[in-house]
Amino acid sequence: MLRRSRPRFLRLCALALAAGALAACGTSGPAGQAGVTVWALQDNVLNPIEQQSVDRFNRAGGTAKLETFANDPYKQKLRVALGSPNPPSAFFNWGGGNLKEYVDAGKVADLTPLLAENPGLGEAFLPNVLDAARLDGKLYGLPMRGMQPVVLFYNKEVFAAAGARPPGTWEELLALVETFKARNVQPIALAGSQAWTELMWAEYLLDRIGGTEVFRAVKGKPEGWRHPAVLESMTRLKELIDRGGFGRDFAGVGYDLGGASTILAQGKAAMHLMGSWEYVNQLGQSPEFVKREALGWVPFPAVPGGKGDPRNLVGNPANFYSVSAGLSTVDQAKKFVATQLHDPGYVQALIDAGDVPAVSGLADKLAKAPNAAYTSWLYEQVRAAPHFQLSWDQDLPAEQATFLLTQLQEFFLGKLSPQQFVDALASRG
Amino acid sequence: MTQRPSALYALPALAFFTLFAVLPMVLVFGLSFTAWDGLGAPRVTGADNWARLYADDQAHAALGRTLLIMVLSWLVQTPLALLTGVWAAGRQRGRAVLSALFFLPLLLSTAAIALLWQALLDPNFGLTAGVLAPLGDPQLALYTVVLVITWQYVPFHTLLYQGAARAVPPALYEAAVLDGAGRLARFRHITLPQLRHTVISSSVLMLVGSLTTFDTVLILTGGGPGTATRILPLHMYITGFTGFELGYASTIGVLLMVLGAALSLIVLRATGFRAMSSQQEGV
C-alpha cells in the first residue's frame, strides 16, 4: 500500500516545500526602512531614559526608533541580525572580543573620523573607558550606560565585631580568612554556580601580579597563558580556595537567586567581590543593610611585589552603541551617537537612576545625587585608574571565552591544578 | 479486508513534517561539514568537525552523562509509574484525591520546576542547608538532576499506565479470582502482560526524552558545577549559542538525532512491537 503510493507522495511533498519556500520569501518584505533603528538591552529603569534620548534626536529632525531585547537572547539575536542584510543601525554591545568579531566581519562602522569632525566629543568620555571599544587604534563604539568596575564589598558590622579592617593587600586578605573562619563566618561570599563570578578573582589577581600586558598577550594567541604570572596568580587563588576562603558550598550558589548577596547582608559572610551593580542590588534586596551604612566597599587588594598598578580596574568599562557599516542610515546613526550620549539631560537622567556614566567632569553632579558616597567613590576609582580591563569573557572571542569559563569552574572545584589550567588554555587553538 | 484510508490523509501532516523537521535536519547535516560563527557564510571544512567530535573528551563525557541519565531515569521512573498507575486505576478510598496530588508536577512548566528545586536545594537557604549542597557537589549533582526529572515526569507515565490498566478486561481478573489467584499473582500474570505495549511506549518516550533532556538542566544547574551535569544537548547548546561554533554544534546535533532514531528503532525491534499483535488475544 505504502510502496505503491510513494511517487505521488514525493511529488506532493515537493509541491508543499515549494509553497513553503515561496511563503518564506514573502515574509521578508520590503527591506530597510528609512529610519535609524537603535537596539538596546531591556532594562525597566534605563529604557525610558534611552527612549528620551531617541525622542530628543527625533525632535531635532531625526527618524530613530528604539527596540529593546531581553538579556539572554540578545547576543544570538544581534549576531543573526548582523549577519543578515537587515541589521540595526546602532546597537548595544559590551566592546571587546564580541565587538572585534563584528569588526573583523566588516559589520561595524569606524567612528574615529567622528571624533575629528566633532571637537570635544573624544574628551567628553573617560579615556580608559573608550579604550574598551578601540581596536587597532580605531574607535568602534561610544559609551551609553554606566560604568561597572568590580569592587570588593564587605559587611562593616561583621568586620567591626571581629575588630578587623578591610584588606589592603593580598596577605591581609588571607589573614582575614583565618579571622572569620575562627568566628564561624564565611570569609567571602561567592556565587560559584556561575563562572563569571569566579572569573573576577582570576582577572584581578593576574592584573595585580603580572600587569596589564599579560592578558593583552593572551588575546593575541593562547600560548600567552604560559606567562609565569598566570601560573602564579592561579596558585595564589588556589591557596585562597583551599584555605576555605569561599566556604565549601559555593559551587551551588547562584548570583541571580541572590544567595551570595543575602549572606553578606545577613552577616553570614564578610566579603563579596562583585560588579558595581551589587550596590543597587543590595539596595533593592536588603535596603536596611545599605541604609544603616553597614555595606562597605574597597578596591581589590594590592599584591606586594606584583607588576600591576593597584589602581587598575576590571569589569565592564561601559556598554557601548556601535554603528552598523554599509547601511543607508550610517550618517544618521553616527549623528545620533555623536550628539545624544553626552547630552546633559541624558547624563543627568542616568545619574538620577543610580548609574555612573563614563562622561568626563561629573564629580560635582554626582556629589549632589542620591547615593553620592558610593557613586562619587566609584567615579573617582575609574577616573584615576591607569587601565580598565574589560571582563575576559567579553574581551575574548566567544569560543575561547566559553572554554575559559568551563576550565575555571573545574579549577575552582579542585579538578584542575594551576598548571593544568594553564596547559589547558595554552594548548587550545 | 477493510478499506484503508487513502494516503492523502497523511498529506498535511507530512508537509509540515517535511518543512519543519526533515528540511532543518538536512540543513543541520550540511552545516556539520562547515565552520560557521553565525556571521557571513559558512566555510566548508569537510569532515573536520567529525574528526573533532571523535577526539573531543568533553563531548564523550557529555554523552556518557546523557546515557547515565537515560538509564537511571528509566530504572527509577518505570517501576514508580507502573505501580502508581495500576494503583490509580483501582477504586480505593481517597484514590481520586491522591491521584490529583500526584498529578501536580505535570501541571508546572519545566522552568518553574527547575527554579523551584533550585531554591529548595540552595546551599545557604534550602531544605538541606548546612548538611548537603546537592547542586554544588559534583558527585551528587547528576543524581539530583535525575531526581528532579523523575519528580517531573512520573505523573505523565502514571497517567499512561492508569489508562492502560483500566482497559484490562475485568473478566480476566474475575476468572483468576475463581482460580484462586492472589493479588500478586494477578498482577504478575494478568496486569503486567496486558500492559506490555504501554511499558514499551512509555519506555520509548522516557529513553528518547532523556536523550533530549535540556531545559531542566539548563535552568537547574547550567551544566555545573564545573561540567558535572553537562549533558550532550546542553554541550551542543553551549557550543552553538555561547561559543558560536555553529558548525561543530550541528555535528553534535546530528549525533543526537542519530542516537535518538537508533534508540527508538532498537526498542521497537527488541520488544517485537512491530508485530502489532492484539493485547487481548485469547480473550
Side-chain angles (χ1 to χ4, degrees):
Chain A
M1 171 82 196
L2 191 73
R3 188 154 296 165
R4 189 175 56 77
S5 61
R6 189 167 278 173
R8 201 175 67 194
F9 251 168
L10 287 180
R11 265 204 310 277
L12 286 165
C13 290
L15 260 176
L17 256 180
L22 278 175
C25 295
T27 55
S28 62
Q33 290 122 358
V36 174
T37 44
V38 180
W39 280 16
L41 219 53
Q42 254 170 34
D43 186 308
N44 292 339
V45 179
L46 298 179
N47 287 155
I49 301 173
E50 284 148 13
Q51 183 61 51
Q52 284 163 23
S53 75
V54 166
D55 293 343
R56 196 178 295 125
F57 179 69
N58 289 345
R59 277 198 299 277
T63 50
K65 195 166 136 247
L66 181 72
E67 288 172 33
T68 62
F69 302 91
N71 197 343
D72 279 339
Y74 180 72
K75 279 188 188 170
Q76 282 101 296
K77 173 111 186 154
L78 180 63
R79 189 169 278 250
V80 172
L82 286 178
S84 82
N86 217 354
S89 319
F91 60 92
F92 170 105
N93 66 85
W94 291 263
N98 261 300
L99 182 58
K100 186 177 186 311
E101 286 181 71
Y102 300 142
V103 170
D104 289 347
K107 305 289 182 191
V108 189
D110 178 8
L111 298 182
T112 329
L114 210 56
L115 296 183
E117 293 158 20
N118 298 271
L121 181 63
E123 292 73 48
F125 301 99
L126 295 179
N128 51 4
V129 173
L130 274 188
D131 280 350
R134 226 184 269 277
L135 295 161
D136 299 326
K138 291 182 183 164
L139 186 70
Y140 290 100
L142 286 172
M144 47 73 72
R145 275 186 190 179
M147 310 183 286
Q148 297 165 344
V150 173
V151 173
L152 185 63
F153 292 92
Y154 67 100
N155 186 321
K156 285 184 184 170
E157 290 163 348
V158 172
F159 268 73
R165 287 187 312 128
T169 67
W170 186 253
E171 273 64 35
E172 289 173 22
L173 180 78
L174 286 181
L176 283 172
V177 168
E178 304 305 327
T179 308
F180 289 118
K181 262 165 59 186
R183 299 180 65 86
N184 252 336
V185 171
Q186 184 175 322
I188 305 162
L190 179 69
S193 75
Q194 288 150 306
W196 55 265
T197 61
E198 302 171 339
L199 185 64
M200 294 171 171
W201 287 91
E203 289 165 346
Y204 259 131
L205 267 172
L206 183 62
D207 195 278
R208 292 286 187 269
I209 291 170
T212 57
E213 295 307 315
V214 182
F215 184 71
R216 209 166 285 169
V218 167
K219 271 205 283 178
K221 57 177 176 33
E223 275 299 308
W225 289 108
R226 294 214 188 272
H227 192 289
V230 180
L231 187 62
E232 194 196 333
S233 58
M234 294 313 279
T235 307
R236 294 214 187 204
L237 187 51
K238 182 161 175 56
E239 192 188 353
L240 180 64
I241 300 166
D242 288 348
R243 285 195 185 192
F246 302 108
R248 281 183 310 129
D249 299 331
F250 59 82
V253 181
Y255 185 74
D256 300 330
L257 283 176
S261 304
T262 310
I263 57 172
L264 180 77
Q266 293 182 349
K268 290 179 185 162
M271 294 173 270
H272 187 201
L273 186 69
M274 190 36 68
S276 60
W277 59 82
E278 172 77 355
Y279 182 90
V280 183
N281 208 14
Q282 290 284 5
L283 204 56
Q285 266 185 27
S286 319
E288 275 311 306
F289 173 57
V290 183
K291 279 184 192 138
R292 63 171 193 264
E293 298 191 3
L295 176 66
W297 50 85
V298 288
F300 190 83
V303 178
K307 286 204 184 74
D309 193 315
R311 294 174 301 166
N312 281 348
L313 295 172
V314 308
N316 298 327
N319 298 125
F320 299 92
Y321 273 142
S322 294
V323 173
S324 288
L327 290 180
S328 60
T329 52
V330 168
D331 289 335
Q332 273 245 35
K334 280 184 178 173
K335 195 173 161 206
F336 171 75
V337 297
T339 55
Q340 298 305 313
L341 302 181
H342 59 99
D343 177 273
Y346 183 66
V347 172
Q348 189 61 50
L350 284 180
I351 293 176
D352 292 343
D355 246 15
V356 185
V359 173
S360 308
L362 284 190
D364 292 345
K365 279 188 185 163
L366 287 171
K368 282 180 236 147
N371 307 310
Y374 177 69
T375 53
S376 297
W377 177 84
L378 201 68
Y379 185 70
E380 187 49 32
Q381 291 289 311
V382 180
R383 211 192 51 74
H387 181 75
F388 193 153
Q389 172 61 50
L390 174 63
S391 301
W392 292 353
D393 56 344
Q394 304 289 350
D395 209 359
L396 291 171
E399 165 229 332
Q400 286 173 40
T402 307
F403 184 72
L404 165 71
L405 290 176
T406 306
Q407 299 303 307
L408 194 67
Q409 278 207 308
E410 299 286 64
F411 172 82
F412 265 77
L413 287 172
K415 297 211 167 151
L416 290 181
S417 70
Q419 186 64 53
Q420 286 169 322
F421 176 81
V422 167
D423 290 343
L425 289 171
S427 58
R428 170 92 169 172
Chain B
M1 189 169 162
T2 50
Q3 181 74 44
R4 293 195 179 186
S6 137
L8 271 171
Y9 282 74
L11 195 65
L14 209 73
F16 272 95
F17 183 72
T18 311
L19 196 62
F20 295 109
V22 177
L23 189 67
M25 281 194 252
V26 171
L27 290 177
V28 163
F29 187 68
L31 272 182
S32 74
F33 294 97
T34 66
W36 189 37
D37 65 0
L39 293 167
R43 188 166 44 84
V44 177
T45 53
D48 280 8
N49 285 331
W50 291 94
R52 180 173 162 193
L53 184 64
Y54 184 74
D56 183 353
D57 292 340
Q58 269 205 9
H60 298 171
L63 176 61
R65 283 178 212 117
T66 294
L67 295 177
L68 187 63
I69 285 198
M70 188 172 13
V71 172
L72 284 179
S73 296
W74 187 80
L75 283 178
V76 177
Q77 288 184 42
T78 304
L80 275 179
L82 180 64
L83 292 176
T84 324
V86 170
W87 172 81
R91 311 198 182 286
Q92 307 84 337
R93 275 186 67 180
R95 184 200 53 79
V97 176
L98 281 173
S99 292
L101 282 179
F102 290 155
F103 197 65
L104 271 179
L106 199 63
L107 301 177
L108 302 177
S109 81
T110 303
I113 288 174
L115 289 173
L116 175 77
W117 280 90
Q118 206 178 33
L120 281 175
L121 299 175
D122 184 280
N124 291 310
F125 307 103
L127 294 173
T128 57
V131 187
L132 266 183
L135 292 177
D137 185 335
Q139 313 289 330
L140 294 179
L142 196 71
Y143 301 104
T144 314
V145 166
V146 171
L147 182 94
V148 174
I149 293 175
T150 301
W151 188 83
Q152 178 177 8
Y153 287 111
V154 158
F156 171 73
H157 295 282
T158 299
L159 201 64
L160 289 184
Y161 284 116
Q162 184 194 22
R166 286 209 171 139
V168 177
L172 292 179
Y173 292 111
E174 286 156 16
V177 170
L178 285 179
D179 288 346
R183 192 179 273 268
L184 208 66
R186 282 189 312 237
F187 178 75
R188 234 190 93 200
H189 297 293
I190 302 172
T191 314
L192 219 47
Q194 287 291 320
L195 291 183
R196 197 165 61 100
H197 291 309
T198 314
V199 173
I200 294 166
S201 312
S202 158
S203 298
V204 171
L205 287 174
M206 266 182 215
L207 296 175
V208 178
S210 307
L211 202 60
T212 54
T213 294
F214 169 72
D215 35 8
T216 316
V217 186
L218 175 75
I219 301 171
L220 190 64
T221 67
T227 51
T229 57
R230 191 184 284 192
I231 48 177
L232 202 56
L234 193 62
H235 188 56
M236 171 179 80
Y237 173 80
I238 291 173
T239 308
F241 292 106
T242 315
F244 288 115
E245 296 181 275
L246 295 167
Y248 185 50
S250 300
T251 314
I252 303 176
V254 172
L255 173 68
L256 270 170
M257 195 167 78
V258 171
L259 281 176
L263 196 70
S264 43
L265 278 180
I266 290 171
V267 175
L268 293 184
R269 286 260 160 136
T271 49
F273 190 65
R274 279 164 59 91
M276 277 297 219
S277 55
S278 161
Q279 288 185 59
Q280 297 192 28
E281 266 165 324
V283 173

